[in-house]
Amino acid sequence: MRDDHPSDDLTAVERRLHQWANALLADAPADGARAKLVEFLVFGAKQAWACVFGAAMLVLIMAARLWYPDDAALARNDFLVITAVAIQVTMIATKLETGRELIVIIMFHVVGTAMELFKTDVGSWEYPGEGALHLGAVPLYTGFMYAAVGSYLVRVYRLSDLRFDRYPPRWITSVLAVLIYANFFTHHYVYDLRWFLVAAVLALYAPTVMHFRVFRGVHRMPVLVAFVGVAFFIWVAENIGTASGAWLYPTQVDDWHLVSLNKMVSWFLLMIISVVMVTWVDKPRPPER
């Protein structure tokens, strides 16, 4: 949240927060341990703000699990759908989210729901509970869980003014994303190509370095490290979701346990699909020289 942040990329609420943060941190030291602590705290604050949609969805799912009555006239799953829509509408109406983010969220809804319909049909996982707001065996709130990933990516893109060195051509990343998405379906019938796809991702993105602004400094990170980090936190959120009973894998129906760490490979590959979709809305920009 530095003074030269491109304010045109921020919503009205974020501009006010940006001004307040700069006033609060005006006397922060420019170097030393305290300066590094400030950078770290501001980084955490930006990440938390980027996750606001996903965090709201997790809180909603957990609250419904803990306090929503089983005998209510409105089914729990339908309550989750209606409340998720209300959260989305509120964020747009209060300008906490931009129209560009809404485009990405709709894209994620479509891609995610199509996968959910297939995966529940082949028994990869299931959604307990009844309700009218379903497509097949898939409650409609599930699309918002995929949308939460898209919301985070597009929000962190502008909040941190992301720039990229040696970003691969978008058409190549798009071909790879299509292959990854297809493999989520075809591996049930033919050979699973996920490890070949992981190798392709590593080879394609290995040279790419991400530049991101925090407060006073511009920092650099290999983009693959960021992909793995986000995949890990999605895995953590998945464990919260299954613990709440929002959905369950077959092995968790009788005895809940942590989702296998192997699932992170799927989330890592899903990250590539997510990133490619975001880059078609926000073209990757090179660092300022």
Side-chain angles (χ1 to χ4, degrees), residues 9-205:
D9 289 345
L10 303 179
T11 67
V13 173
E14 288 167 349
R15 279 195 293 272
R16 289 195 291 271
L17 289 172
H18 173 68
Q19 293 164 358
W20 171 80
N22 274 290
L24 181 67
L25 299 172
D27 297 327
D31 50 35
R34 288 181 60 198
K36 292 180 180 178
L37 177 61
V38 169
E39 286 281 316
F40 176 76
L41 293 176
V42 174
F43 175 78
K46 284 188 172 184
Q47 292 297 310
W49 183 248
C51 290
V52 66
F53 184 84
M57 283 299 301
L58 278 180
V59 169
L60 171 61
I61 290 170
M62 289 299 297
R65 172 67 174 178
L66 293 173
W67 297 300
Y68 196 80
D70 293 332
D71 57 353
L74 181 67
R76 179 185 286 110
N77 285 347
D78 290 346
F79 166 78
L80 287 172
V81 175
I82 294 169
T83 313
V85 172
I87 291 172
Q88 183 68 80
V89 170
T90 300
M91 291 190 67
I92 293 295
T94 57
K95 300 189 184 303
L96 295 180
E97 219 163 48
T98 66
R100 181 175 293 178
E101 287 166 12
L102 182 60
I103 293 172
V104 172
I105 286 171
I106 292 172
M107 291 165 59
F108 273 78
H109 269 282
V110 174
V111 170
T113 301
M115 185 184 297
E116 288 288 330
L117 288 168
F118 176 81
K119 290 292 189 179
T120 53
D121 185 62
V122 298
S124 295
W125 55 77
E126 62 183 55
Y127 290 93
E130 302 296 329
L133 302 178
H134 280 230
L135 277 178
V138 181
L140 293 180
Y141 73 81
T142 60
F144 287 94
M145 296 188 297
Y146 287 88
V149 178
S151 175
Y152 165 78
L153 289 175
V154 75
R155 289 168 70 84
V156 80
Y157 191 99
R158 59 184 173 78
L159 289 173
S160 298
D161 189 25
L162 296 187
R163 306 295 178 101
F164 301 91
D165 260 329
R166 298 180 297 278
Y167 195 88
R170 283 190 297 169
W171 73 268
I172 296 179
T173 63
S174 298
V175 170
L176 181 58
V178 169
L179 293 174
I180 291 171
Y181 189 67
N183 190 69
F184 279 116
F185 296 84
T186 59
H187 82 85
H188 291 277
Y189 308 108
V190 295
Y191 188 76
D192 187 355
L193 298 174
R194 72 180 61 197
W195 292 111
F196 292 98
L197 294 169
V198 168
V201 170
L202 296 179
L204 189 60
Y205 285 95

Side-chain angles (χ1 to χ4, degrees), residues 163-168 207-211 220 285-287 289:
R163 306 295 178 101
F164 301 91
D165 260 329
R166 298 180 297 278
Y167 195 88
T208 307
V209 177
M210 181 175 69
H211 297 239
R220 293 179 296 276
R285 296 170 294 176
R289 302 299 181 186

